[in-house]
Amino acid sequence: MKRSHIIALSGISCAMALICVVGSIYVEFMTLSFAVLAAVCIQMPLTQKYWLGGILSYVATSIIAFLIGNINALPFILFFGAYTIIQWTVEQKLYKLIKSKILKYTIGYAIKIAYFEIIIAIFWFLFNAIIPTFVLFGKTIKLTYLIISLAGIPLFLIYDLLMHLIFKNFTYIINKIIKKTSKTTTPDDIMYNSEEEKENNSSNDIFKNNTDLDSSNDNGSIVNNEQDDSDNKDA
C-alpha cells in the first residue's frame, strides 16, 4: 500500500472518530452508538495492517476529545478507542505467534477480559461513574462491584465479537475503495501525461531528423568518394 493512502486513512480516521466522540458527549440518547462508531473509525488504518497509523489516530482523537469534552471523553479514551488497538494487536499479532488454537484463544480472551475488568474497576472505584442502583418493576436494586464485573463479561464478549465481524467487513470495503481509486485517472494525470507524450514525441522527431540528416550526409560522402575513385581511374 502507498504511504499516501496510509496517511490519508489515518487522517480520515482521526477526523471521523473525533466527530463521533463529540457526538457521544453531547447527544445523550446516542452516547453508546457514537462511542461504538468512533471505535470503528479507529479501525480504518488497521484494516491495512498499519498499526502505527491506528495508534496515532487514537492518540490524536483522544487528546482533542479530552480538550473538548474533558472527563466525558474518558469512555472512549479508556475503553472504546483503546480496546480497538488492543483487540487488533491480540488478534493480528499475538495469535500468529501461538500455533495451538486452544492456547491461542485462551490467552487472547484472558487478556481481553482482564483489560475489561481493569476498566470496570477504574470507573467504579476512581470515578464512581457506574450507577450502583437501578429500578426493576418498581423495586430499587442495589448493585455491587462483583455483580457489575461478572454480569458485564457476557456483554463484553458480544461487543468483542461484534467489533471482530465489523473489522472483517470494514477491511473488505476499504480494500475495494483503495483498489478502485488507485485505478482512477484524474484530469491532472491526463493533462500531465498528454504534455509528457508531446515532449517525448517532439524529442523523438528531433532525434529522427538528426538521424536522417546524418544518414543523408553519410550517403553523400559515399557518393563523393565513389566519384573521386572513378576520376582517379580515368586519369
Side-chain angles (χ1 to χ4, degrees), residues 21 25 58 62 65-66 69-82 119 122-123 127:
V21 173
I25 295 172
Y58 160 70
S62 299
F66 186 78
N70 206 342
I71 197 172
N72 294 317
L74 288 180
F76 170 81
I77 296 172
L78 295 178
F79 180 70
F80 291 99
I119 297 303
I122 290 174
F123 278 97
F127 301 113

Side-chain angles (χ1 to χ4, degrees), residues 116-181:
F116 171 74
E117 294 297 334
I118 291 171
I119 297 303
I120 291 293
I122 290 174
F123 278 97
W124 182 275
F125 294 108
L126 297 182
F127 301 113
N128 295 320
I130 299 177
I131 301 174
T133 61
F134 73 99
V135 179
L136 182 64
F137 300 114
K139 294 183 179 180
T140 302
I141 300 175
K142 186 177 181 180
L143 299 178
T144 63
Y145 168 73
L146 184 61
I147 294 175
I148 289 292
S149 61
L150 294 179
I153 291 177
L155 297 175
F156 167 71
L157 293 177
I158 293 173
Y159 174 77
D160 176 77
L161 178 61
L162 175 65
M163 294 303 292
H164 175 78
L165 295 176
I166 290 175
F167 179 78
K168 288 182 66 176
N169 289 279
F170 201 26
T171 301
Y172 175 75
I173 294 171
I174 294 296
N175 285 336
K176 285 194 69 174
I177 293 173
I178 291 176
K179 186 177 180 181
K180 185 176 180 180
T181 54

Side-chain angles (χ1 to χ4, degrees), residues 194-211:
S194 61
E195 291 178 355
E196 187 177 9
E197 288 177 358
K198 288 180 181 179
E199 291 178 357
N200 291 332
N201 292 332
S202 62
S203 61
N204 290 331
D205 292 338
I206 294 171
F207 178 75
K208 185 177 180 181
N209 292 331
N210 291 332
T211 53

Side-chain angles (χ1 to χ4, degrees), residues 19-33:
I19 293 172
C20 292
V21 173
V22 173
S24 69
I25 295 172
Y26 294 104
V27 185
E28 294 183 357
F29 66 93
M30 292 189 66
T31 297
L32 184 60
S33 299

